Amino acid sequence: MEPCILFSCVASFQRASWPLAALLVTSLVGVTGKFNKPGFQNRYYQSSSYRGSRVLEHNQSGRFEQYMEVLWPSQAAVDENGRIWVVNKRSHEVLLIETASRYVPWPAFFTEYSGKAGMNGYVDGSRLKARFDGPSGIVLTTSSTSSFRLYVTDSNNHVIRVLDYKSGRVGTIAGARGDQGLKDGPGDMARFRYPSNLGMNAAGSNLFVLDNGSKIRHIKLFLKSRYVTTLVGGACRAVSRWTVYSSIVLRRVGCHPDWTASEAGEKVLDASFVADGDLYCSGHLATCAPRNHPALADRLAPQLLTKQYALGQLALRPPDNPYADLR
């Protein structure tokens, strides 16, 4: 049989057998694994080995029932009354800038709404007594039918905080202080690692968090458990961008909350980092306990690594905290 390049081979097979040609192309491009639920128009987006962008599937009217566009600010957000809310990563505070003051008719002076300048920490409760550690992102509810709340990525604490304006209370809705990782589940069981900024839909029922450097985490605020899932790469895409008050950049981002990483074949790392020990544990926290059973000895556990080895592995990855240089 004479040698031929891929396209000429496919052309010849087309004349002979379409099923055989399709089988050849599939095997040559190395597509493996099952096709999953999200229902992409391009079937290769669903394969477990696909790692490219999925942006061509975005915002197709009528195709995706769960597609939604969310407001995605960064370190500053503006409410419906024109007030500016700012998180200050350096001073560990949430600041409020009114639209005018007794001196000038424009936003010029800020007040400390929550946290204390120069005092980092982790305290829930009264907004004046609450403490943050490097808050880097903020978003707020915009619906007149829901309570006015602010959501903050408390980066160095690895948690997502909520500030209720009416009660003046601060709480934690997802993550655990000092327990960093990438783990899906109910809010109190989920784990984050340096969450940086976040977006929310108009109804205030869905929160999207940029976490672990490049992962998009979806928090279902409409559930009592505040369930957290990791979305597939490319599930969120910028739609528009504009500027208010001369320097505050706001974005509208289109997201597919049903494009989960697990359903699309992406491996979601379930990892926990032990702060008070010398072991790095990948998997459930229970695997961090000493094990001396003959079949489950620590020396036989591939997921139980020394801290030095783990740090060496992490050094090969892109920075997980995009604000590290601002510390």
Side-chain angles (χ1 to χ4, degrees):
M1 180 176 179
E2 295 183 0
C4 59
I5 61 174
L6 172 62
F7 296 107
S8 62
C9 285
V10 172
S12 63
F13 273 114
Q14 287 176 346
R15 292 191 295 270
S17 171
W18 267 107
L20 184 59
L23 178 62
L24 173 64
V25 173
T26 302
S27 63
L28 286 176
V29 297
V31 176
T32 61
K34 66 178 182 179
F35 294 153
N36 299 280
K37 295 180 181 179
F40 301 114
Q41 186 173 356
N42 184 334
R43 65 175 183 168
Y44 296 112
Y45 285 178
Q46 307 174 72
S47 64
S48 60
S49 60
Y50 183 80
R51 291 295 180 269
S53 171
R54 295 170 173 82
V55 297
L56 297 179
E57 298 285 339
H58 274 265
N59 199 16
Q60 294 188 12
S61 178
R63 271 192 52 79
F64 299 101
E65 294 182 359
Q66 296 192 39
Y67 174 83
M68 64 181 69
E69 293 188 356
V70 303
L71 178 65
W72 201 304
S74 183
Q75 294 181 324
V78 181
D79 65 23
E80 59 182 3
N81 297 316
R83 297 177 300 179
I84 304 172
W85 298 85
V86 181
V87 287
N88 191 324
K89 186 178 178 71
R90 292 176 180 270
S91 64
H92 317 290
E93 298 174 286
V94 177
L95 307 175
L96 170 61
I97 305 175
E98 296 285 356
T99 57
S101 69
R102 60 181 295 185
Y103 303 107
V104 292
W106 60 77
F109 300 95
F110 69 83
T111 58
E112 297 177 343
Y113 180 76
S114 187
K116 183 71 173 177
M119 295 185 63
N120 63 315
Y122 177 78
V123 178
D124 281 339
S126 167
R127 65 179 178 86
L128 298 177
K129 298 294 184 181
R131 295 293 179 265
F132 303 84
D133 192 351
S136 58
I138 187 171
V139 70
L140 44 83
T141 55
T142 57
S143 174
S144 58
T145 60
S146 60
S147 300
F148 182 54
R149 294 188 177 96
L150 301 94
Y151 293 89
V152 173
T153 49
D154 196 358
S155 297
N156 295 336
N157 282 324
H158 314 291
V159 296
I160 309 302
R161 313 285 290 278
V162 60
L163 293 81
D164 186 276
Y165 184 78
K166 184 177 181 180
S167 67
R169 306 287 291 181
V170 178
T172 300
I173 64 167
R177 181 204 181 187
D179 190 1
Q180 55 180 298
L182 178 60
K183 182 180 180 181
D184 290 350
D188 58 343
M189 298 297 293
R191 294 296 178 262
F192 296 80
R193 190 170 190 228
Y194 296 110
S196 56
N197 52 62
L198 66 177
M200 185 167 57
N201 66 329
S205 56
N206 292 272
L207 198 65
F208 299 86
V209 182
L210 180 61
D211 177 53
N212 272 264
S214 60
K215 299 291 186 181
I216 300 295
R217 318 290 299 282
H218 175 218
I219 304 178
K220 299 177 181 178
L221 297 177
F222 56 89
L223 296 180
K224 186 177 181 180
S225 65
R226 306 292 193 266
Y227 203 89
V228 179
T229 55
T230 301
L231 301 185
V232 70
C236 291
R237 180 193 184 194
V239 175
S240 59
R241 168 179 170 168
W242 66 99
T243 302
V244 296
Y245 288 119
S246 302
S247 60
I248 300 176
V249 177
L250 302 176
R251 294 176 177 83
R252 185 166 297 281
V253 178
C255 290
H256 294 267
D258 56 331
W259 289 11
T260 63
S262 58
E263 288 185 344
E266 285 192 2
K267 180 180 179 181
V268 178
L269 177 65
D270 178 8
S272 297
F273 298 81
V274 182
D276 55 354
D278 59 355
L279 297 175
Y280 168 85
C281 307
S282 176
H284 297 289
L285 284 175
T287 63
C288 295
R291 295 174 297 183
N292 299 310
H293 188 278
L296 298 173
D298 287 344
R299 61 184 176 82
L300 301 177
Q303 73 271 30
L304 199 59
L305 311 174
T306 65
K307 183 177 180 180
Q308 290 74 17
Y309 180 83
L311 292 176
Q313 292 295 98
L314 292 173
L316 301 177
R317 303 178 186 175
D320 291 298
N321 180 12
Y323 297 96
D325 59 336
L326 298 180
R327 289 180 181 177

